[in-house]
Amino acid sequence: QVQLVESGGGLVQAGGSLRLSCAASGRTFSIYAMGWFRQAPGKEREFLAHILRTGGSTYYKDSVKGRFAISRDNTKNMVYLQMNSLKPEDTAVYYCAAKEAYSSDYDYWGQGTQVTVSS
């Protein structure tokens, strides 16, 4: 099992920045990739970005490219999401997730952290 705990959410004005953190523990050696998702009220959860544990390759949802950046620190079992130029429509609960090799979907999820962007 892998446990994930997000932190860093909060209230920010439009145009501001936040950095979310995700701490992984447990069987972290089994993690192949880690991702960030978000879910706004009344909407489905959406993928934002992922990063491979080995090599660090990244992939982003088109709508956040250039504003959001995912990074990792394997020595600390941490993944980060730097969010810049935030907009009110970025308001959501943000989730960290981890995928094991050969999984078709993410296997582990954090509890989420609220991000609220005021206009």
Coordinates of all heavy atoms in Angstrom, one line a residue, residues 56-101:
G56 N 11.7 11.2 -14.8 CA 11.0 12.5 -14.5 C 10.3 13.0 -15.7 O 9.9 14.2 -15.7
S57 N 9.9 12.2 -16.7 CA 9.1 12.7 -17.8 C 7.8 13.2 -17.3 O 7.2 12.6 -16.4 CB 8.9 11.6 -18.9 OG 10.1 11.2 -19.5
T58 N 7.3 14.3 -17.9 CA 6.1 14.9 -17.5 C 5.1 15.0 -18.6 O 5.5 15.0 -19.8 CB 6.3 16.3 -16.9 OG1 7.0 17.1 -18.0 CG2 7.2 16.3 -15.7
Y59 N 3.8 15.1 -18.3 CA 2.8 15.3 -19.2 C 1.7 16.1 -18.6 O 1.4 16.0 -17.4 CB 2.2 13.9 -19.6 CG 1.1 14.0 -20.7 CD1 1.4 14.2 -22.0 CD2 -0.3 14.0 -20.3 CE1 0.3 14.3 -22.9 CE2 -1.3 14.1 -21.2 CZ -1.0 14.2 -22.5 OH -2.0 14.4 -23.5
Y60 N 1.1 17.1 -19.4 CA 0.2 18.0 -18.9 C -1.1 18.1 -19.7 O -1.1 17.9 -20.9 CB 0.8 19.4 -18.9 CG 1.9 19.6 -17.9 CD1 3.2 19.4 -18.4 CD2 1.7 20.0 -16.6 CE1 4.3 19.6 -17.6 CE2 2.8 20.2 -15.8 CZ 4.1 20.0 -16.3 OH 5.2 20.2 -15.4
K61 N -2.2 18.4 -19.0 CA -3.4 18.7 -19.7 C -3.2 20.0 -20.4 O -2.5 20.9 -19.8 CB -4.5 18.9 -18.6 CG -5.9 19.3 -19.2 CD -6.9 19.5 -18.0 CE -8.2 20.0 -18.5 NZ -8.9 19.0 -19.3
D62 N -3.7 20.1 -21.6 CA -3.4 21.3 -22.4 C -3.7 22.6 -21.7 O -3.0 23.6 -21.8 CB -4.1 21.3 -23.7 CG -3.5 20.3 -24.7 OD1 -2.3 19.9 -24.5 OD2 -4.1 19.9 -25.7
S63 N -4.8 22.6 -21.0 CA -5.3 23.9 -20.4 C -4.4 24.4 -19.3 O -4.6 25.6 -18.9 CB -6.7 23.7 -19.9 OG -6.8 22.8 -18.9
V64 N -3.5 23.6 -18.7 CA -2.7 24.1 -17.7 C -1.2 24.2 -18.1 O -0.4 24.6 -17.3 CB -2.8 23.2 -16.4 CG1 -4.2 23.1 -15.9 CG2 -2.2 21.8 -16.6
K65 N -0.9 23.8 -19.3 CA 0.5 23.9 -19.8 C 0.9 25.4 -19.7 O 0.2 26.3 -20.1 CB 0.6 23.5 -21.2 CG 0.6 22.0 -21.4 CD 0.8 21.6 -22.9 CE 0.8 20.1 -23.1 NZ 0.8 19.8 -24.5
G66 N 2.1 25.6 -19.2 CA 2.7 26.9 -19.1 C 2.3 27.6 -17.8 O 2.9 28.6 -17.4
R67 N 1.3 27.2 -17.1 CA 0.9 27.8 -15.8 C 1.2 26.8 -14.7 O 1.6 27.3 -13.6 CB -0.6 28.1 -15.8 CG -1.1 29.1 -16.7 CD -2.5 29.6 -16.4 NE -3.5 28.5 -16.3 CZ -4.3 28.3 -15.3 NH1 -4.2 29.0 -14.2 NH2 -5.1 27.3 -15.4
F68 N 1.1 25.5 -14.9 CA 1.3 24.6 -13.8 C 2.6 23.8 -14.1 O 2.9 23.5 -15.3 CB 0.2 23.6 -13.7 CG -1.1 24.2 -13.2 CD1 -1.3 25.5 -12.9 CD2 -2.2 23.3 -12.9 CE1 -2.4 26.1 -12.4 CE2 -3.4 23.8 -12.4 CZ -3.5 25.2 -12.2
A69 N 3.3 23.4 -13.1 CA 4.5 22.6 -13.3 C 4.6 21.5 -12.2 O 4.5 21.8 -11.0 CB 5.8 23.5 -13.2
I70 N 4.7 20.3 -12.6 CA 4.8 19.2 -11.7 C 6.3 18.8 -11.6 O 7.1 18.9 -12.5 CB 4.0 17.9 -12.2 CG1 4.0 16.9 -11.1 CG2 4.6 17.4 -13.5 CD1 3.0 15.7 -11.5
S71 N 6.7 18.5 -10.4 CA 8.1 18.1 -10.1 C 8.1 17.0 -9.0 O 7.1 16.8 -8.3 CB 9.0 19.3 -9.7 OG 8.5 19.9 -8.6
R72 N 9.3 16.4 -8.8 CA 9.4 15.4 -7.8 C 10.7 15.4 -7.1 O 11.7 16.0 -7.6 CB 9.2 14.0 -8.4 CG 10.4 13.5 -9.1 CD 10.2 12.4 -10.1 NE 11.4 11.7 -10.6 CZ 12.5 12.2 -11.2 NH1 12.6 13.5 -11.3 NH2 13.4 11.5 -11.7
D73 N 10.7 14.9 -5.9 CA 12.0 14.7 -5.2 C 11.9 13.3 -4.6 O 11.3 13.0 -3.6 CB 12.1 15.7 -4.0 CG 13.4 15.6 -3.3 OD1 14.1 14.5 -3.4 OD2 13.8 16.6 -2.6
N74 N 12.5 12.4 -5.3 CA 12.5 11.0 -5.0 C 13.2 10.7 -3.6 O 12.8 9.8 -2.9 CB 13.1 10.1 -6.0 CG 12.2 10.0 -7.3 OD1 11.0 10.4 -7.3 ND2 12.8 9.5 -8.4
T75 N 14.1 11.5 -3.3 CA 14.8 11.3 -2.0 C 13.9 11.6 -0.8 O 14.1 11.0 0.3 CB 16.1 12.2 -1.9 OG1 15.7 13.6 -1.9 CG2 17.0 12.0 -3.1
K76 N 12.9 12.4 -1.0 CA 12.0 12.7 0.0 C 10.6 12.1 -0.2 O 9.7 12.3 0.6 CB 11.8 14.2 0.1 CG 13.1 14.9 0.5 CD 12.9 16.4 0.6 CE 14.1 17.2 1.0 NZ 13.9 18.7 1.0
N77 N 10.4 11.4 -1.3 CA 9.1 10.8 -1.7 C 8.1 11.9 -1.8 O 7.0 11.7 -1.2 CB 8.7 9.7 -0.7 CG 9.6 8.4 -0.9 OD1 9.9 8.0 -2.0 ND2 10.0 7.9 0.2
M78 N 8.4 13.0 -2.4 CA 7.5 14.1 -2.6 C 7.3 14.4 -4.0 O 8.1 14.2 -4.9 CB 8.2 15.3 -1.9 CG 8.4 15.2 -0.4 SD 6.9 15.3 0.5 CE 6.2 16.9 0.2
V79 N 6.1 14.9 -4.3 CA 5.7 15.4 -5.6 C 5.1 16.8 -5.4 O 4.4 17.0 -4.4 CB 4.7 14.5 -6.4 CG1 4.3 15.1 -7.6 CG2 5.4 13.2 -6.7
Y80 N 5.3 17.7 -6.3 CA 4.9 19.0 -6.1 C 4.1 19.5 -7.4 O 4.3 19.0 -8.5 CB 6.0 20.0 -5.9 CG 7.0 19.6 -4.8 CD1 8.1 18.9 -5.1 CD2 6.7 19.9 -3.5 CE1 9.0 18.5 -4.1 CE2 7.5 19.5 -2.5 CZ 8.7 18.8 -2.8 OH 9.5 18.4 -1.7
L81 N 3.2 20.4 -7.2 CA 2.5 21.1 -8.3 C 2.6 22.6 -8.1 O 1.9 23.1 -7.2 CB 1.1 20.6 -8.4 CG 0.3 21.2 -9.6 CD1 0.9 20.5 -10.9 CD2 -1.2 20.9 -9.5
Q82 N 3.4 23.2 -8.8 CA 3.5 24.7 -8.8 C 2.5 25.3 -9.7 O 2.4 24.9 -10.9 CB 4.9 25.1 -9.3 CG 5.1 26.6 -9.3 CD 5.1 27.3 -7.9 OE1 5.7 26.8 -7.0 NE2 4.4 28.4 -7.8
M83 N 1.6 26.1 -9.1 CA 0.5 26.7 -9.9 C 0.7 28.2 -10.0 O 0.7 28.8 -8.9 CB -0.8 26.3 -9.3 CG -1.0 24.8 -9.1 SD -2.6 24.4 -8.6 CE -2.6 25.1 -6.9
N84 N 0.8 28.7 -11.1 CA 1.0 30.2 -11.3 C -0.2 30.8 -12.1 O -0.9 30.0 -12.8 CB 2.3 30.5 -12.1 CG 3.5 29.9 -11.3 OD1 3.6 30.0 -10.1 ND2 4.5 29.4 -12.1
S85 N -0.3 32.1 -12.1 CA -1.3 32.8 -12.8 C -2.7 32.1 -12.6 O -3.5 31.8 -13.5 CB -1.0 32.8 -14.3 OG 0.2 33.4 -14.5
L86 N -3.0 31.9 -11.3 CA -4.2 31.2 -11.0 C -5.5 32.0 -11.3 O -5.5 33.3 -11.3 CB -4.3 30.8 -9.5 CG -3.4 29.7 -9.1 CD1 -3.1 29.6 -7.6 CD2 -4.0 28.4 -9.6
K87 N -6.5 31.3 -11.7 CA -7.8 31.9 -12.1 C -8.9 31.4 -11.2 O -8.8 30.3 -10.7 CB -8.1 31.5 -13.6 CG -6.9 31.8 -14.6 CD -7.2 31.2 -15.9 CE -6.1 31.4 -16.9 NZ -6.4 30.8 -18.2
P88 N -10.0 32.1 -11.1 CA -11.1 31.6 -10.3 C -11.6 30.2 -10.8 O -12.0 29.4 -9.9 CB -12.2 32.7 -10.6 CG -11.4 33.9 -10.8 CD -10.2 33.5 -11.6
E89 N -11.5 29.9 -12.0 CA -11.9 28.6 -12.5 C -11.0 27.5 -12.1 O -11.2 26.3 -12.3 CB -12.1 28.6 -14.0 CG -10.9 29.1 -14.8 CD -11.1 30.6 -15.2 OE1 -11.6 31.4 -14.3 OE2 -10.8 30.9 -16.3
D90 N -9.8 27.8 -11.5 CA -8.9 26.8 -10.9 C -9.4 26.3 -9.6 O -8.8 25.4 -9.0 CB -7.5 27.3 -10.8 CG -6.9 27.6 -12.2 OD1 -7.1 26.7 -13.1 OD2 -6.2 28.6 -12.3
T91 N -10.4 27.0 -9.0 CA -10.9 26.6 -7.7 C -11.5 25.2 -7.7 O -12.3 24.8 -8.6 CB -12.1 27.5 -7.3 OG1 -11.5 28.9 -7.1 CG2 -12.7 27.1 -6.0
A92 N -10.9 24.3 -6.8 CA -11.3 22.9 -6.8 C -10.6 22.3 -5.6 O -9.7 22.9 -5.0 CB -10.9 22.2 -8.1
V93 N -10.9 21.0 -5.4 CA -10.1 20.2 -4.5 C -9.1 19.5 -5.4 O -9.4 18.9 -6.4 CB -11.0 19.1 -3.8 CG1 -10.1 18.2 -2.9 CG2 -12.1 19.8 -3.0
Y94 N -7.9 19.6 -5.0 CA -6.7 19.0 -5.8 C -6.3 17.7 -5.1 O -6.1 17.7 -3.9 CB -5.6 20.0 -5.9 CG -5.9 21.1 -6.9 CD1 -6.9 22.0 -6.6 CD2 -5.2 21.2 -8.1 CE1 -7.2 23.0 -7.5 CE2 -5.5 22.2 -9.0 CZ -6.5 23.1 -8.7 OH -6.8 24.1 -9.6
Y95 N -6.1 16.7 -5.9 CA -5.7 15.4 -5.4 C -4.4 14.9 -6.0 O -4.2 15.1 -7.2 CB -6.8 14.3 -5.8 CG -8.1 14.6 -5.2 CD1 -9.1 15.3 -5.8 CD2 -8.5 14.0 -3.9 CE1 -10.4 15.5 -5.3 CE2 -9.7 14.3 -3.4 CZ -10.6 15.0 -4.0 OH -11.9 15.2 -3.5
C96 N -3.6 14.2 -5.2 CA -2.4 13.6 -5.7 C -2.8 12.1 -5.8 O -3.6 11.6 -5.0 CB -1.4 13.8 -4.6 SG 0.1 12.8 -4.8
A97 N -2.2 11.4 -6.8 CA -2.4 10.0 -7.0 C -1.1 9.3 -7.5 O -0.2 10.0 -8.0 CB -3.5 9.8 -8.1
A98 N -1.1 8.1 -7.2 CA 0.1 7.3 -7.6 C -0.3 6.0 -8.4 O -1.4 5.4 -8.1 CB 0.9 6.9 -6.4
K99 N 0.5 5.7 -9.4 CA 0.2 4.5 -10.2 C 1.4 3.6 -10.1 O 2.5 4.0 -10.2 CB 0.0 5.0 -11.6 CG -0.3 3.9 -12.6 CD -0.3 4.4 -14.1 CE -1.4 5.3 -14.4 NZ -1.5 5.6 -15.8
E100 N 1.0 2.3 -10.0 CA 2.1 1.3 -10.1 C 2.3 0.9 -11.5 O 1.5 1.1 -12.4 CB 1.7 0.1 -9.2 CG 1.6 0.3 -7.7 CD 1.3 -0.9 -6.9 OE1 0.7 -1.9 -7.5 OE2 1.5 -0.9 -5.7
A101 N 3.4 0.3 -11.8 CA 3.7 -0.2 -13.1 C 2.7 -1.2 -13.5 O 2.2 -2.0 -12.7 CB 5.1 -0.9 -13.1

